[in-house]
Amino acid sequence: MGRLMLDTSRVSYEVSIKPVPKLDLNGQQKFDRDSKQPLWTVALYALSDGSAEVINVTVVSPIMPAVAVREPVVPVDLEALPWVNDRDGKVRSGVACKAAGLRPIEATN
């Protein structure tokens, strides 16, 4: 299956919670399967056409993304990752978001 890349051109993003390491069940930082780089989780406000939603984005980066709360950013190569989990007869599903980085937007005065 091909990658499901998201168009970020009509949405503005702002950091709502600073990045933290993405951890496994043992409390160890996770690493990307392909690149072997560390994974970081950051919560972003996604604002579009008068609506807003908080999304969690996994960022693949050798270092923690240097962004601050309330900072406007653009997720680089934002990808949707649909998932399904069947545990103990209960099926859960959703969409995870993954990015190659976060590019800060320069403020204009």
Side-chain angles (χ1 to χ4, degrees):
M1 183 168 117
R3 296 174 66 190
L4 299 173
M5 305 308 291
L6 300 176
D7 178 5
T8 59
S9 65
R10 296 185 189 178
V11 180
S12 59
Y13 299 90
E14 186 177 284
V15 177
S16 64
I17 299 174
K18 68 178 186 165
V20 295
K22 185 175 184 98
L23 304 177
D24 65 17
L25 295 175
N26 297 318
Q28 299 297 311
Q29 186 166 19
K30 289 184 173 186
F31 290 81
D32 184 66
R33 292 180 196 163
D34 298 325
S35 70
K36 310 298 184 222
Q37 292 188 22
L39 299 177
W40 309 88
T41 299
V42 61
L44 300 177
Y45 294 116
L47 306 134
S48 175
D49 295 330
S51 66
E53 187 170 333
V54 175
I55 61 171
N56 289 316
V57 177
T58 297
V59 178
V60 181
S61 175
I63 58 171
M64 184 172 71
V67 294
V69 172
R70 306 281 318 261
E71 182 174 8
V73 296
V74 174
V76 177
D77 295 333
L78 187 60
E79 181 178 3
L81 302 165
W83 59 270
V84 176
N85 182 322
D86 184 354
R87 188 175 294 160
D88 300 325
K90 292 188 178 189
V91 177
R92 297 176 48 222
S93 63
V95 177
C97 296
K98 180 179 173 182
L102 297 174
R103 187 177 70 241
I105 297 173
E106 294 294 324
T108 58
N109 293 338

